[in-house]
Short mmCIF file of all heavy atoms in Angstrom, two decimals:
data_model
loop_
_atom_site.label_atom_id
_atom_site.label_comp_id
_atom_site.label_asym_id
_atom_site.label_seq_id
_atom_site.Cartn_x
_atom_site.Cartn_y
_atom_site.Cartn_z
N GLN A 1 1.10 -3.82 -6.14
CA GLN A 1 0.74 -2.65 -5.35
C GLN A 1 -0.28 -3.00 -4.26
O GLN A 1 -0.15 -2.55 -3.12
CB GLN A 1 0.18 -1.55 -6.26
CG GLN A 1 1.24 -0.94 -7.18
CD GLN A 1 0.64 -0.05 -8.25
OE1 GLN A 1 -0.49 -0.28 -8.71
NE2 GLN A 1 1.37 0.97 -8.66
N ARG A 2 -1.26 -3.82 -4.60
CA ARG A 2 -2.26 -4.22 -3.60
C ARG A 2 -1.61 -5.01 -2.47
O ARG A 2 -1.94 -4.81 -1.28
CB ARG A 2 -3.38 -5.03 -4.25
CG ARG A 2 -4.36 -4.19 -5.07
CD ARG A 2 -5.55 -5.02 -5.51
NE ARG A 2 -5.19 -6.05 -6.48
CZ ARG A 2 -5.10 -5.87 -7.78
NH1 ARG A 2 -5.34 -4.67 -8.29
NH2 ARG A 2 -4.80 -6.87 -8.59
N THR A 3 -0.70 -5.89 -2.82
CA THR A 3 -0.03 -6.69 -1.79
C THR A 3 0.80 -5.80 -0.88
O THR A 3 0.80 -5.97 0.35
CB THR A 3 0.85 -7.76 -2.45
OG1 THR A 3 0.05 -8.56 -3.33
CG2 THR A 3 1.49 -8.66 -1.41
N LEU A 4 1.51 -4.86 -1.47
CA LEU A 4 2.31 -3.94 -0.66
C LEU A 4 1.41 -3.12 0.27
O LEU A 4 1.71 -2.95 1.46
CB LEU A 4 3.11 -3.01 -1.57
CG LEU A 4 4.32 -3.65 -2.27
CD1 LEU A 4 4.81 -2.77 -3.41
CD2 LEU A 4 5.45 -3.91 -1.27
N LEU A 5 0.31 -2.62 -0.26
CA LEU A 5 -0.58 -1.79 0.56
C LEU A 5 -1.25 -2.61 1.65
O LEU A 5 -1.46 -2.12 2.77
CB LEU A 5 -1.62 -1.11 -0.32
CG LEU A 5 -1.08 0.02 -1.22
CD1 LEU A 5 -2.13 0.44 -2.25
CD2 LEU A 5 -0.66 1.22 -0.38
N ARG A 6 -1.62 -3.86 1.35
CA ARG A 6 -2.19 -4.71 2.40
C ARG A 6 -1.22 -4.84 3.57
O ARG A 6 -1.63 -4.99 4.72
CB ARG A 6 -2.50 -6.10 1.85
CG ARG A 6 -3.73 -6.19 0.97
CD ARG A 6 -4.09 -7.64 0.69
NE ARG A 6 -5.01 -7.74 -0.43
CZ ARG A 6 -4.68 -8.16 -1.64
NH1 ARG A 6 -3.42 -8.53 -1.89
NH2 ARG A 6 -5.57 -8.23 -2.61
N ASN A 7 0.06 -4.79 3.26
CA ASN A 7 1.08 -4.95 4.29
C ASN A 7 1.65 -3.62 4.77
O ASN A 7 2.71 -3.59 5.40
CB ASN A 7 2.20 -5.86 3.77
CG ASN A 7 1.73 -7.30 3.62
OD1 ASN A 7 1.54 -8.00 4.60
ND2 ASN A 7 1.51 -7.73 2.38
N ASP A 8 0.91 -2.53 4.45
CA ASP A 8 1.24 -1.20 4.99
C ASP A 8 2.56 -0.67 4.48
O ASP A 8 3.26 0.09 5.17
CB ASP A 8 1.24 -1.24 6.53
CG ASP A 8 1.17 0.15 7.15
OD1 ASP A 8 0.60 1.05 6.51
OD2 ASP A 8 1.69 0.33 8.26
N ALA A 9 2.94 -1.04 3.26
CA ALA A 9 4.21 -0.59 2.70
C ALA A 9 4.15 0.88 2.31
O ALA A 9 3.09 1.51 2.29
CB ALA A 9 4.58 -1.45 1.50
N ALA A 10 5.33 1.42 2.01
CA ALA A 10 5.47 2.86 1.79
C ALA A 10 5.18 3.23 0.34
O ALA A 10 6.08 3.37 -0.49
CB ALA A 10 6.88 3.30 2.19
N ILE A 11 3.91 3.39 0.02
CA ILE A 11 3.46 3.93 -1.26
C ILE A 11 2.59 5.13 -0.95
O ILE A 11 1.77 5.09 -0.03
CB ILE A 11 2.66 2.89 -2.08
CG1 ILE A 11 3.48 1.63 -2.32
CG2 ILE A 11 2.21 3.49 -3.41
CD1 ILE A 11 2.72 0.54 -3.05
N VAL A 12 2.75 6.19 -1.70
CA VAL A 12 2.00 7.40 -1.39
C VAL A 12 1.02 7.72 -2.53
O VAL A 12 1.31 7.51 -3.71
CB VAL A 12 2.95 8.59 -1.14
CG1 VAL A 12 3.68 9.02 -2.41
CG2 VAL A 12 2.21 9.78 -0.53
N GLY A 13 -0.16 8.20 -2.14
CA GLY A 13 -1.14 8.67 -3.11
C GLY A 13 -1.91 7.58 -3.82
O GLY A 13 -2.61 7.86 -4.79
N LEU A 14 -1.80 6.35 -3.34
CA LEU A 14 -2.47 5.23 -3.99
C LEU A 14 -3.30 4.50 -2.94
O LEU A 14 -2.76 3.92 -2.00
CB LEU A 14 -1.44 4.27 -4.60
CG LEU A 14 -1.97 3.19 -5.54
CD1 LEU A 14 -2.51 3.81 -6.82
CD2 LEU A 14 -0.86 2.19 -5.86
N PRO A 15 -4.63 4.52 -3.05
CA PRO A 15 -5.45 3.82 -2.06
C PRO A 15 -5.51 2.33 -2.35
O PRO A 15 -5.39 1.89 -3.49
CB PRO A 15 -6.83 4.46 -2.25
CG PRO A 15 -6.86 4.87 -3.70
CD PRO A 15 -5.45 5.25 -4.05
N LEU A 16 -5.68 1.57 -1.30
CA LEU A 16 -5.89 0.13 -1.44
C LEU A 16 -7.34 -0.14 -1.80
O LEU A 16 -8.25 0.25 -1.08
CB LEU A 16 -5.54 -0.58 -0.13
CG LEU A 16 -5.89 -2.08 -0.06
CD1 LEU A 16 -5.13 -2.87 -1.12
CD2 LEU A 16 -5.61 -2.63 1.33
N VAL A 17 -7.54 -0.80 -2.92
CA VAL A 17 -8.87 -1.27 -3.32
C VAL A 17 -8.84 -2.78 -3.18
O VAL A 17 -8.24 -3.48 -3.99
CB VAL A 17 -9.21 -0.84 -4.75
CG1 VAL A 17 -10.59 -1.36 -5.14
CG2 VAL A 17 -9.15 0.68 -4.89
N ASP A 18 -9.48 -3.27 -2.13
CA ASP A 18 -9.36 -4.68 -1.76
C ASP A 18 -10.77 -5.27 -1.63
O ASP A 18 -11.45 -5.08 -0.62
CB ASP A 18 -8.60 -4.79 -0.43
CG ASP A 18 -8.31 -6.23 -0.03
OD1 ASP A 18 -8.74 -7.14 -0.76
OD2 ASP A 18 -7.65 -6.42 1.00
N SER A 19 -11.20 -5.99 -2.64
CA SER A 19 -12.56 -6.55 -2.65
C SER A 19 -12.75 -7.61 -1.57
O SER A 19 -13.88 -7.90 -1.18
CB SER A 19 -12.87 -7.15 -4.02
OG SER A 19 -11.94 -8.17 -4.34
N SER A 20 -11.67 -8.17 -1.08
CA SER A 20 -11.80 -9.19 -0.03
C SER A 20 -11.96 -8.59 1.36
O SER A 20 -12.28 -9.30 2.31
CB SER A 20 -10.58 -10.12 -0.04
OG SER A 20 -9.40 -9.39 0.23
N ASP A 21 -11.75 -7.27 1.48
CA ASP A 21 -11.91 -6.60 2.77
C ASP A 21 -13.39 -6.33 2.99
O ASP A 21 -14.01 -5.52 2.28
CB ASP A 21 -11.11 -5.30 2.78
CG ASP A 21 -11.24 -4.54 4.09
OD1 ASP A 21 -11.83 -5.08 5.04
OD2 ASP A 21 -10.75 -3.39 4.13
N LEU A 22 -13.98 -6.97 3.99
CA LEU A 22 -15.41 -6.82 4.26
C LEU A 22 -15.76 -5.40 4.67
O LEU A 22 -16.91 -4.97 4.53
CB LEU A 22 -15.84 -7.81 5.36
CG LEU A 22 -15.64 -9.29 5.02
CD1 LEU A 22 -15.92 -10.15 6.26
CD2 LEU A 22 -16.55 -9.71 3.88
N ALA A 23 -14.78 -4.64 5.17
CA ALA A 23 -15.05 -3.26 5.59
C ALA A 23 -15.48 -2.38 4.42
O ALA A 23 -16.18 -1.39 4.60
CB ALA A 23 -13.81 -2.66 6.25
N SER A 24 -15.07 -2.76 3.20
CA SER A 24 -15.42 -1.95 2.03
C SER A 24 -16.91 -1.96 1.75
O SER A 24 -17.42 -1.07 1.05
CB SER A 24 -14.65 -2.45 0.80
OG SER A 24 -15.02 -3.79 0.49
N ALA A 25 -17.66 -2.94 2.28
CA ALA A 25 -19.11 -3.02 2.07
C ALA A 25 -19.89 -2.63 3.32
O ALA A 25 -21.11 -2.80 3.37
CB ALA A 25 -19.49 -4.44 1.65
N ALA A 26 -19.19 -2.09 4.32
CA ALA A 26 -19.84 -1.78 5.59
C ALA A 26 -20.17 -0.29 5.69
O ALA A 26 -19.57 0.55 5.01
CB ALA A 26 -18.93 -2.18 6.75
#
């Protein structure tokens, strides 16, 4: 699911929780 969401795939109602994304700590 994380890989699909990183690539903007069509999943609804599920947020991407990506610890490697620096924006999450900004």
Side-chain angles (χ1 to χ4, degrees):
Q1 291 169 329
R2 285 188 293 274
T3 304
L4 286 165
L5 289 168
R6 285 190 196 106
N7 290 287
D8 197 28
I11 303 177
V12 68
L14 191 68
L16 172 62
V17 179
D18 186 357
S19 59
S20 62
D21 179 8
L22 299 172
S24 62

